[in-house]
Amino acid sequence: QVQLVESGGGLLQAGGSLRLSCAASGRTFSNYATGWFRQAPGKEREFVSAISKSGANTYYGDSVKGRFTISRDNAKNTVYLQMNSLKPEDTAVYYCAAGSAAAFGPRNPSLYPYWGQGTQVTVSS
């Protein structure tokens, strides 16, 4: 079992930056690929970014490519999502997820058995 806790969300104006953190506890975190997904009210859950268990491979959704950067520190059992040039359409609850099988399909939420509770990001225009 892996427990995930997100932090770092908040309210800010368009053009600003935030860094989300996902702290893991439980089983060896470095065994799991980790992803970020988001869900806005009335919309489907959307893939944002993912990182392989070693950190060597990263993946991004088209809507965030070039603006967001994912990284991980396995020594601290933490994954980060640096979000720059934020837009109002980035407003959503952001969820961290982990799973070993996700290495074979990082954009597929069904391959992530472990999820955090989410953190709200609100970007005003």
Side-chain angles (χ1 to χ4, degrees), residues 10-34:
L11 170 65
L12 73 164
Q13 291 188 330
S17 297
L18 274 180
R19 188 176 79 158
L20 304 183
S21 298
C22 173
S25 60
R27 293 189 174 181
T28 305
F29 187 54
S30 58
N31 288 340
Y32 298 93
T34 306

Side-chain angles (χ1 to χ4, degrees), residues 50-108:
I51 189 166
S52 62
K53 58 184 181 179
S54 69
N57 298 304
T58 57
Y59 310 87
Y60 296 94
D62 289 341
S63 62
V64 307
K65 200 172 296 183
R67 299 187 298 123
F68 291 11
T69 302
I70 192 170
S71 61
R72 70 189 297 157
D73 185 341
N74 285 336
K76 295 183 178 180
N77 289 341
T78 303
V79 169
Y80 305 97
L81 184 68
Q82 178 66 43
M83 307 187 295
N84 298 329
S85 303
L86 281 160
K87 305 174 182 179
E89 50 264 44
D90 294 318
T91 295
V93 177
Y94 283 70
Y95 297 92
C96 173
S100 55
F104 303 100
R107 295 176 171 80
N108 185 347

